[in-house]
Amino acid sequence: FSPKELHGIFPWLVENIFGSLDGIVVGWNLRCLQGRTNPTEYSVALDFLDPSGPMMKLVYKLQAEEYRYDFPVSYLPGPVKASIQEQVLPECSLYYNKVQFPSSGGLGLNLALNPFEYYMFYFAISLITQKNSPVTQHVSPSNSAYFILVDTYLKCFLPTEGSVLPPPSSNPGGAIPSPTPRSPAVPFTSYGMHHTSLLKRHIAHQPSVNADPASQEIWRSETLLQIFVEMWLHHYSLEMYQKMQSPHVKLEVLHYRLSISSKHHGSPAQSSYQALHAYQESFKPTEEHVLVVRLLVKHLHAFSNSLKPEPLSPSAHSHTASPLEEFKRVVIPRFVQEKLYIFLQHCFGHWPLDASFRAVLEMWLSYLQPWRYAPEKPPQSAEPLPRSVSEKWAAFIQENLLMYTKLFVGFLNRALRTDLVSPKNALMVFRVAKVFAQPNLAEMILKGEQLFLEPELVIPHRQHRLFMTPTLGGSFLSSWPPTITDASFKVKSHVYSLEGQEFQYKQMFGTEVRNLVLKLAQLICQAQQTAKSISDHSAETLASHSFFSWFRFTPSEMNGSYTGNDLDEIGQDSIKKTDEYLEKALEYLCQIFKLNEAQLTQMMMKCGTAQDENGKKQLPDCIESEDGLVLTPLGRYQIINGLRRFEVQYQGDTELQPIRSYENATLVRLLFRLSSVLNERFTDQMDVLCSREDFVGRLCRYHLTNPHLIQKMRYSPMVKDRTTQNWGPRISLRFLASYRTLISLLMIYFIASWFYIGPVGCTFIILVGYFLYAVIMTVFSERWKPHEH
């Protein structure tokens, strides 16, 4: 096919592969395509979309012809879309000279992209736009074709070893540089300083494709990374957007917007009210989205750590460093740090309080540990000791101080609101504590905080922005800023560039955060006690449901308390894991914050280990009032988190309880009618017998009344003015409706038949046996009676 024919079908082909921008056309559904379920389609898709496959060859062929394709601005992330529609150019150089205004009768703004950019825009944004695509069950995102392709593209265009492979082109110089600059119909302003491309020195004024092979080495690398970051991370709320702007820039942009709106009435710019709503669009990243971002973070650490050691001579550095090496040097602070920080802030504040937060947590911890992806290997030792964090990472920690401190405080606030008895939640606390407890890490974070809190010198307004950005119109390579030795200034620049000059820093090792850690430690102790009580209750439940319990005539649950809990289904193994995670997490927190053992001992004593006179757990925290016990806020918290509970008991007429699952409903109703008839007919005789003081009276009182009911009501948190009702002596035959009682009687009759004992004789033996049992229990109850006063 000729390039002109391929140019016509290229947009159609891309949309059919990755799906339409509005999500209606699903395309190949790469996010759900897995080798385990669809091996043929999986291998074909990977081969076709491989960096050296047919699709990329088509991209490079069209790239050589300098074709351009329109990408609607309306499908860009909210902040980018809103700023472009307000005619405020985003800071990212990816959008420079690409905004194209609609012709007469056209609708909306477009970006004029070259084939490589167009392909990668669709590939990256399909992770966001295809949320509603049909997803089969048991799909592992890390095994999908999309995830594998992201990893393949990162390894190809951001190699940790060697250089970027040249595109498979007939031209020896490879693909052409960025699109030719276009003059927009309406002037743009930038809402920040210009972030000039790394390649500006190399390719800005080159008329020939083959003029500078060095520039061709990484233009695809920079474009790929910028597209991934913009599509996956450039989402934040209005509040975050305003924090990133200094008052000077916000005032400057406001004046510009007012001037634009007064001069261009027919321009496509939105009103300020509409634009602010555009910034506030709801953004809810999925777990798959977070896993892909974590893959990007891990690869960028490996890519950055593969930087060759700097030569001793500064002059040699300026002449021998290749564009790829310079790109490795600035890839994280320049392209990723700010947007990833705000992305994480959004996730920490809006993600549900459930176990799915583990994906966000692991992405955050991956960014905090660049040493895990360094090429050097730790020394082998006989005992696996914790690996100490080298001092060479102090600069990274200081330049990412908020990633360590502010997000740690955010995690503390989340952990204090979660149920730590759950093994998955306990594991997350353990993971964070383990990472921050690495030797020397807490000391370096503390050093970074001390540098930030040093007395501030006279810093010119917006100087933190100038530190982060070279002079306007320059290049990162041609106008590299002079080395700044003031570590305190570097830390301040990092904090103020992310949070603004008015930011009030909360020290990670200050009193306020330390109190939060103590609260978390107390919650861990309470969760350990709760897990232990659940484990004990589960063991008792298993014992009570054993085979021999079927031989009991009277079920113990008839008037017992409800001790069930949703956590009963966790299982003994999971409870054991929870206890191990919490114990290690508490140990690590003590190491990080130097907690005193005396404080922990006192805390353990306050965790509800004391038991009341019945050996039961204490009631939730309550106060006495005229109406009885009233829950305090602490008591409500204890109930919600399963730390304590009321012993729920049935305290009405035992004959009128709801029918249990182990009872036959028909028999319960029939026996209740029979018991009612007998009680109505013989009530006077039973009262007379029970009022006697001799042995017969004691025997009737023990078996025709329920002395345990009053004792149980004594410990129930009911209204204290409640009038107790005396049910009096009566006959209750409900126990005969229990399936266990019926099966036990059938087995007794069956065994008796082996000894040639008929049903009548067997019934007589059972009645005699029960009478002897009643006599013995009456005698013993009389002996124990003096000890119950």
Side-chain angles (χ1 to χ4, degrees), residues 294 297-302 304-305 332 340 344 358 360-376 386-390 392-393 396-397 400 403-404 430-439 441 444-445:
R294 186 190 180 209
V297 168
K298 291 166 66 176
H299 185 83
L300 289 179
H301 273 319
S304 180
N305 290 336
I332 290 180
L340 180 63
L344 284 169
R358 175 77 186 279
V360 179
L361 187 80
E362 293 299 337
M363 177 183 66
W364 173 49
L365 296 180
S366 295
Y367 184 83
L368 298 187
Q369 303 177 87
W371 47 87
R372 289 185 58 192
Y373 312 101
E376 68 269 11
R387 184 182 177 185
S388 178
V389 180
S390 173
K392 76 173 187 176
W393 300 107
F396 177 87
I397 294 171
N400 292 272
M403 287 282 197
Y404 290 89
F430 164 75
R431 288 282 297 124
V432 173
K434 182 179 180 181
V435 168
F436 278 84
Q438 293 178 84
L441 178 58
M444 286 193 283
I445 296 175

Side-chain angles (χ1 to χ4, degrees), residues 204-260:
H205 306 290
Q206 293 181 20
S208 172
V209 173
N210 307 324
D212 188 358
S215 67
Q216 303 303 328
E217 181 182 353
I218 67 164
W219 81 264
R220 291 171 297 159
S221 304
E222 184 181 359
T223 300
L224 175 89
L225 178 60
Q226 285 182 324
I227 291 173
F228 282 1
V229 170
E230 287 296 304
M231 296 301 106
W232 297 341
L233 298 179
H234 202 165
H235 304 266
Y236 44 80
S237 63
L238 171 66
E239 294 77 15
M240 288 295 178
Y241 173 75
Q242 289 177 336
K243 280 184 179 181
M244 294 167 57
Q245 313 305 316
S246 72
H248 172 71
V249 171
K250 284 191 282 190
L251 185 62
E252 178 183 322
V253 171
L254 177 62
H255 282 305
Y256 180 81
R257 290 171 182 167
L258 292 175
S259 65
I260 288 295

Side-chain angles (χ1 to χ4, degrees), residues 600-619:
L600 290 179
T601 304
Q602 185 179 6
M603 195 180 304
M604 292 287 289
M605 295 177 63
K606 292 181 180 180
C607 286
T609 55
Q611 297 180 342
D612 60 19
E613 57 189 2
N614 280 339
K616 303 286 185 181
K617 292 292 291 183
Q618 291 179 330
L619 296 178

Side-chain angles (χ1 to χ4, degrees), residues 42-99:
Y42 177 82
S43 59
V44 169
L46 292 184
D47 292 340
F48 185 76
L49 301 176
D50 189 79
S52 58
M55 189 65 188
M56 291 305 295
K57 290 180 181 179
L58 171 61
V59 169
Y60 295 134
K61 186 172 184 178
L62 295 173
Q63 185 90 4
E65 300 296 329
E66 299 192 28
Y67 285 119
R68 297 293 177 265
Y69 302 91
D70 289 340
F71 188 93
V73 170
S74 59
Y75 289 105
L76 293 175
V80 179
K81 174 178 64 177
S83 62
I84 292 179
Q85 288 175 339
E86 289 183 86
Q87 299 171 0
V88 180
L89 196 64
E91 294 181 355
C92 180
S93 62
L94 182 68
Y95 304 104
Y96 290 174
N97 303 320
K98 290 185 175 65
V99 180

